[in-house]
Amino acid sequence: MPYAYISRPTTVLGEHLVTVSEMTADIAVRHADHPRIGAILRILAKSPATRRFSRPLDVVLADRTFAERNAAAVEDVLRMSAAASHRALADAGLDPRDVDGIVTTSSTTDWVPGLDIALQRKLGLAADISRTALTQSGCGGGVHALTKAVDHVRARSGARVLVAGGEVLSAIHHHDDQDVAHFIFKLLWGDSAVAAVVSGVPLGPGLAVDDTWEYVLPGSARRYRKRVDAAGMHFDSDKDSTQSVVDMAPALRKWLDGWPLDFVVTHTGGLAILADLQRELGLAEEQLVHAYRSLDEDGNLGGPAVLRVLERTYETPPAAGQQGLLLGFGPGFTVGAAKVTWQDGSEA
C-alpha cells in the first residue's frame, strides 16, 4: 500500500492565558456551599498549570445564552483555523489552489454549512475539491481527520489534503454542571485550532503513515458524551469512563502486533489517561514527554490535541526510520490510530 505523509502541523492557541489558580479561585467562591468543595479543590490543584481561551476569562465565566456561546465559538474556530491553515500551507510550500481536498473537525460549534465550506471560501480553495466534515468526533477528531485524509491520498495519486480543525471548549463551561467530573473538565480544557497537510509525497520531515486503525469500544456510548439544552452544549461522563483506556488496550495491542514503539504521539486526555496508556503499552515516561508538556501548558485541546503534540515532537524529533504510534481518543470511547515512521523529508 502506498505511503501517505503528514506535514508539520501548525497550532493556533487562544489569545488569553488562564492559570489554574484563576480557575480554582472562581470555583472556590462560586461553589463554596458545594458538599464536596474541599475534595474538589484538592483534585483541581493537579490540573494543567495553564490553558488558553479564545475569549477573556470574565467572558467565559459570564452567563451566556446558547446563541451567544455558539456565535462566539463559530467566529473563533474559523479565525484560528484559517490562521493555522495559512501557516501550514506556507510551511509545506503550497498555495491554497494546490489543495485537492479538505477534512475538517469541530465539535463545539453548531453551524451549517460548516467549517469546511467556511475555510474553502476564506482560504480561496478550489470550488471542486473533495470535502469531509467531522462534527461529532470530539477529542478524537484530529486523528480521525488524518485517517480520512490518508484514505483520500491513497485513493488519488498526487493528492494533497488539508486537515484543519478547531475547538472552543471554553464555550461549554457551565456553572450548573457540578459533578466532580464536570469541575475536572472545566480546568482541563483549552481553545485552539490546528492544520496540517497529508500528501502522497513528503513535503518535509515528518510522519509516513504505514497503516491506520479505527475502533469503538463496545458498550461505551455513554462513557463520554455531549448533552445540549437551552444554555448550550455540555460534556458528561459516566463512572466507567475512567477505565476506558484499560478496557480498550487489548484491542490496541492486538492491532499493533509487535509494531515498534520508538515514539508515541498521543492525545493528551488527562493525567490518568496518559498514566493508563503508559502502563498498558509499557512505555517510558520520556516517550510521552511531549503529551505531558502539552497537557500542562495547553490543557486538553480536544480534536487539535494530538496534532499539537506532533508539532511539539519536532522540537526533539525521532531519528529517520524510527517507528511509532499516532493515537487519539474520542467519545463514547472511540479510538483512531496510525502506525507511523519518522522520515527526513526525502522520497521513501
Side-chain angles (χ1 to χ4, degrees):
M1 184 176 294
Y3 277 111
Y5 299 87
I6 303 171
S7 73
R8 181 172 185 159
T10 295
T11 309
V12 173
L13 300 172
E15 296 94 327
H16 303 279
L17 181 70
V18 179
T19 66
V20 64
S21 60
E22 290 176 295
M23 299 286 285
T24 53
D26 176 78
I27 289 171
V29 172
R30 195 182 298 270
H31 301 282
D33 59 350
H34 192 288
R36 299 192 62 191
I37 189 61
I40 288 169
L41 292 176
R42 287 192 294 274
I43 293 169
L44 297 186
K46 301 175 183 178
S47 298
T50 56
R51 76 282 300 133
R52 290 181 176 273
F53 290 160
S54 62
R55 302 279 164 149
L57 182 58
D58 61 340
V59 174
V60 172
L61 297 178
D63 292 325
R64 294 180 289 167
T65 65
F66 190 174
E68 291 169 335
R69 291 171 184 269
N70 189 64
V74 166
E75 179 182 330
D76 294 350
V77 164
L78 177 56
R79 172 176 46 80
M80 293 190 294
S81 297
S85 297
H86 276 300
R87 285 165 49 190
L89 289 171
D91 289 348
L94 298 178
D95 183 89
R97 305 293 289 191
D98 295 328
V99 172
D100 306 284
I102 184 171
V103 183
T104 60
T105 179
S106 185
S107 302
T108 52
T109 51
D110 184 10
W111 51 334
V112 177
L115 181 59
D116 56 327
I117 297 293
L119 284 177
Q120 187 177 26
R121 180 183 67 251
K122 195 171 185 67
L123 299 176
L125 305 180
D128 60 350
I129 63 170
S130 171
R131 293 177 294 100
T132 301
L134 306 179
T135 61
Q136 301 294 330
S137 297
C139 292
V143 173
H144 284 296
L146 289 172
T147 61
K148 301 310 175 191
V150 167
D151 290 344
H152 180 100
V153 165
R154 285 177 168 166
R156 300 185 183 185
S157 177
R160 302 180 182 98
V161 179
L162 176 66
V163 171
E167 301 292 5
V168 176
L169 288 158
S170 61
I172 52 179
H173 185 113
H174 296 275
H175 301 304
D176 290 341
D177 289 339
Q178 298 189 41
D179 290 345
V180 174
H182 288 138
F183 287 109
I184 294 172
F185 294 148
K186 290 172 185 178
L187 268 74
L188 193 59
W189 291 326
D191 300 342
S192 70
V194 70
V197 177
V198 178
S199 59
V201 296
L203 300 173
L207 299 181
V209 179
D210 296 78
D211 191 18
T212 62
W213 183 65
E214 297 183 35
Y215 179 75
V216 179
L217 182 66
S220 66
R222 294 187 59 79
R223 292 200 177 188
Y224 295 101
R225 61 195 186 277
K226 184 169 71 176
R227 168 173 51 91
V228 181
D229 62 16
M233 300 179 185
H234 307 253
F235 192 69
D236 298 333
S237 62
D238 67 15
K239 61 182 179 60
D240 295 326
S241 62
T242 57
Q243 291 297 309
S244 296
V245 170
V246 174
D247 292 344
M248 168 281 303
L252 176 60
R253 289 193 295 264
K254 181 179 179 180
W255 173 70
L256 286 170
D257 190 27
W259 178 261
L261 297 180
D262 299 322
F263 63 95
V264 176
V265 179
T266 183
H267 172 60
T268 49
L271 285 174
I273 285 177
L274 290 177
D276 286 345
L277 181 66
Q278 183 178 333
R279 183 179 60 254
E280 293 295 325
L281 294 185
L283 303 173
E285 186 169 334
E286 307 85 76
Q287 292 174 277
L288 298 177
V289 64
H290 296 297
Y292 278 116
R293 280 187 54 209
S294 182
L295 178 63
D296 191 48
E297 296 174 9
D298 308 325
N300 180 343
L301 300 176
V306 70
L307 284 164
R308 173 60 168 162
V309 174
L310 177 56
E311 183 183 36
R312 285 175 172 271
T313 301
Y314 279 79
E315 298 170 10
T316 54
Q322 285 195 313
Q323 296 171 302
L325 172 67
L326 183 73
L327 182 65
F329 306 126
F333 198 74
T334 56
V335 185
K339 296 174 181 175
V340 292
T341 301
W342 192 269
Q343 52 83 39
D344 61 8
S346 60
E347 183 71 49

